[in-house]
């Protein structure tokens, strides 16, 4: 009996992982109990329209087999039942049958329905678990290794080590839990907000200092009024600071650097975001909304090379924007199978997915700008700029516009002609980009001096500011000492004294170029 109670408790805990407080409350109100997401989303390979639409409306399919049911008589779920009925009616009208949970989620969003947050959390958890290698490949090795080195303690769970400054704890985590912890912390760092011990750790790692002593110095500086301490972004008077240690309080990067400028010798010590890529680039492959931009998972080979885009072309109209983006991306991904290690192949495939998203974004811009025309796949009405949302992979184009779009993406026999047309039509914007200023980095860090060398050469020769792909080609032709490998849509470099290998995507490289260049004032 005791064993069965423990098993039931473990199952309940796994279900609770897929809920936040508000989502759980909604489920209790409608159903009188939590929805078993472990069963409905993690275990079920596909969901039929009836079950999927009820789950997306926070209704338990077992309790709401009939939408007139009221398992909790004192509560009225009529609004949720009406939403489920509308979704199910539309799904049946479109001829949809069994689909994976993530496909249902994106289907609902594309058609303007609101989706219960518990369903989203459960679907994202399943997506992350199924794409663990891809997500870890886009993360900094320092962070990814924490999961890779963690001890496996059960199905989908590991004992992950968490550092809390003066003590270290091992916490039982699923992979989605781990990603949530890393994404929250790194996003906060990108915004310039650190817990005091985190700031001390980042500073200590960058300059080989004693982290405990540095944290004590920062704590003492706050109490002395030298390092600003804020609550709700407002400075707190030192007389109002509690006597407890402030190791877990939030400090701002600009405040820490202001203190270091006054106190550190020669002002050489600075708190900087420790990674080469922004969080939105780093965790792009962990985003359910951008995973294929509304398309399904897993990809079929087009006859060139097998590259897993986590996108399904089965049943996809070849004249849709999604199919065109896939076709363009596949043509650029031939190097994946030429890599010698599994990790290199994974990085190459991840780079192909980044390029796929870039292709789809470019197609959206072409559609919105009127370069190509499209019609709605359901009603057949034409796309109207300013009225219709261009960001749908289902818009259909004519065969002529498909060839034109592929050419603009650099694919197909018309690519060279399209490039010449773009140069002819975009002569004025190109001239405008010729006027740009170059900002030299204050100190060597990562690959910044290698990038600066490429930009300075172009600037000295009076050329326009190089684009990310042009910089990538320069690195390929004349590889800098810090760069270890140049891939189709990214490169790897060695960072820091630890000789840590990091990957930089085209998006991150573009951000680095923008930070290092600026247009002159008018």
């Amino acid at each position: 009996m005791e064993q069965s109670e423990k098993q039931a408790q473990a199952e309940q805990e796994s279900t609770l992982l897929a809920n936040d407080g508000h989502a759980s409350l909604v489920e209790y109100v409608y159903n009188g109990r939590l929805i078993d997401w472990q069963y409905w989303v993690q275990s079920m390979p596909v969901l039929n329209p009836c079950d999927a639409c009820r789950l997306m409306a926070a209704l338990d399919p077992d309790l709401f087999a009939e939408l007139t049911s009221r398992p909790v008589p004192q509560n009225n779920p009529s609004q949720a039942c009406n939403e489920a009925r509308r979704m199910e009616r539309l799904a049946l009208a479109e001829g949809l049958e069994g689909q994976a949970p993530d496909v249902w989620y994106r289907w609902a969003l594309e058609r303007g329905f609101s989706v219960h947050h518990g369903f989203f959390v459960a679907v994202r958890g399943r997506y992350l678990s199924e794409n663990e290698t891809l997500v870890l490949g886009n993360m900094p090795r320092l962070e990814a290794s924490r999961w890779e080195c963690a001890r496996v303690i059960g199905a989908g769970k590991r004992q992950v080590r968490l550092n809390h400054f003066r003590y270290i704890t091992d916490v039982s985590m699923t992979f989605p839990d781990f990603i949530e912890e890393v994404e929250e912390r790194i996003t906060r760092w990108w915004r310039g907000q650190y817990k005091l011990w985190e700031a001390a750790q980042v500073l200590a790692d960058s300059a080989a200092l004693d982290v405990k002593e540095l944290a004590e110095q920062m704590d003492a500086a706050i109490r002395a009024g030298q390092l600003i301490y804020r609550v709700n972004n407002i400075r707190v008077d030192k007389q109002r600071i509690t006597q407890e240690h402030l190791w877990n309080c939030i400090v701002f990067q600009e405040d820490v650097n202001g203190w270091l400028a006054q106190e550190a010798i020669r002002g050489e010590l600075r708190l900087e975001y420790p990674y080469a890529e922004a969080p939105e680039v780093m965790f792009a492959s962990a985003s359910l909304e951008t995973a294929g931009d509304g398309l399904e998972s897993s990809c079929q080979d087009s006859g060139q090379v097998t590259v897993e885009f986590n996108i399904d072309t089965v049943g996809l109209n070849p004249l849709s924007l999604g199919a065109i983006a896939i076709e363009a991306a596949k043509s650029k991904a031939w190097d994946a199978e030429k890599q010698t290690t599994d990790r290199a192949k994974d990085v190459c495939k991840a780079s192909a997915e980044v390029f796929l998203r870039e292709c789809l974004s470019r197609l959206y811009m072409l559609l919105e700008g009127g370069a190509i025309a499209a019609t709605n796949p359901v009603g057949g009405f034409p796309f109207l700029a300013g009225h219709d949302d261009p960001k749908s992979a289902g818009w259909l184009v004519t065969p002529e516009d498909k060839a034109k779009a592929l050419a603009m993406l650099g694919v197909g026999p018309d690519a060279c002609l399209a490039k010449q047309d773009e140069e002819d039509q975009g002569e004025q914007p190109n001239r405008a980009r010729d006027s740009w200023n170059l900002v030299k980095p204050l100190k060597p860090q990562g690959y910044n001096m290698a990038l600066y060398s490429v930009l300075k050469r172009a600037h000295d020769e009076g050329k326009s500011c190089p684009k990310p792909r042009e910089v990538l080609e320069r690195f390929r032709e004349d590889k800098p000492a810090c760069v270890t490998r140049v891939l189709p849509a990214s490169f790897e470099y060695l960072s820091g004294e630890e000789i840590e290998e990091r990957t930089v995507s085209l998006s991150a490289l573009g951000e680095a170029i923008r930070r290092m260049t600026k247009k002159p004032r008018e």
Side-chain angles (χ1 to χ4, degrees), residues 260-522:
L260 291 172
Q262 295 292 327
E263 302 297 331
I265 186 169
R266 295 188 296 273
E268 293 179 351
L269 193 60
R270 283 183 60 83
L271 176 62
E272 301 285 356
Y273 176 71
Y275 299 123
E277 296 177 335
E280 57 266 24
V281 176
M282 195 183 301
F283 295 101
S285 59
S287 172
L288 187 63
E289 289 85 348
T290 60
D293 288 293
L295 305 177
E296 301 177 6
S297 35
S298 106
C299 174
Q300 303 295 320
D301 186 17
S302 65
Q304 292 181 330
V305 64
T306 302
V307 179
E308 297 176 359
F309 290 110
N310 295 323
I311 293 175
D312 193 354
T313 57
V314 175
L316 197 62
N317 192 311
L319 295 178
S320 67
L321 297 186
I324 296 171
I326 293 172
E327 186 175 336
K330 282 186 175 181
S331 71
K332 299 291 185 180
W334 58 81
D335 282 343
E337 299 304 319
K338 294 182 180 179
Q339 305 302 323
T340 56
T341 65
D342 290 340
R343 182 174 181 274
K345 290 181 180 180
D346 291 335
V347 170
C348 191
K349 291 173 182 178
S351 300
E353 289 206 358
V354 172
F355 182 68
L356 172 62
R357 289 191 290 272
E358 291 176 357
C359 288
L360 204 50
S361 297
R362 180 76 184 281
L363 289 172
Y364 294 154
M365 294 173 61
L366 293 174
L367 177 59
E368 191 170 25
I372 56 176
T375 57
N376 187 281
V378 179
F381 54 82
F383 171 81
L384 296 177
H387 179 269
D388 296 322
D389 183 8
K391 295 184 178 180
S392 171
W395 286 106
L396 300 178
V397 301
T398 64
E400 292 76 14
D401 274 350
K402 176 182 177 179
K404 183 179 179 181
L406 286 172
M408 290 179 175
L409 293 174
V411 179
D414 298 330
C416 295
L417 182 60
K419 182 177 180 181
Q420 184 61 46
D421 290 342
E422 283 189 322
E423 290 175 355
D424 294 341
Q425 296 173 4
E427 190 65 28
Q428 292 302 323
N430 283 339
R431 286 203 198 101
R433 285 196 297 269
D434 285 342
S435 300
W436 55 285
N437 290 335
L438 184 59
V439 181
K440 185 175 182 179
L442 296 176
K443 61 179 182 179
Q445 185 175 8
Y447 64 92
N448 64 354
M449 296 310 297
L451 175 59
Y452 175 77
S453 176
V454 172
L455 298 177
K456 186 175 187 302
R457 179 177 176 181
H459 191 270
D460 292 345
E461 293 175 356
K463 297 180 179 179
S464 59
C465 181
K467 298 177 182 178
R469 283 198 174 277
E470 294 173 342
V471 173
L472 200 63
E473 289 306 314
R474 297 283 177 83
F475 283 178
R476 195 188 311 276
E477 295 168 1
D478 186 13
K479 192 163 64 176
C482 64
V483 174
T484 58
R485 185 180 304 153
V486 181
L487 299 170
S490 63
F491 70 91
E492 296 179 352
Y493 73 100
L494 297 177
S495 173
E497 296 178 358
E498 308 95 352
I499 313 298
E500 179 188 357
E501 194 174 54
R502 296 180 177 179
T503 303
V504 181
S505 67
L506 284 175
S507 303
L509 183 57
E511 288 296 326
I513 293 173
R514 279 189 282 277
R515 288 195 297 268
M516 206 173 289
T517 59
K518 62 180 181 179
K519 293 182 179 180
R521 294 181 178 178
E522 299 293 338

Side-chain angles (χ1 to χ4, degrees), residues 39-60:
Y39 170 76
W40 287 109
V41 173
Q42 302 294 335
S43 301
M44 296 285 282
V46 296
L47 296 172
N48 62 48
C50 175
D51 294 340
C53 294
R54 283 158 175 73
L55 290 168
M56 290 190 287
L59 304 175
D60 190 321

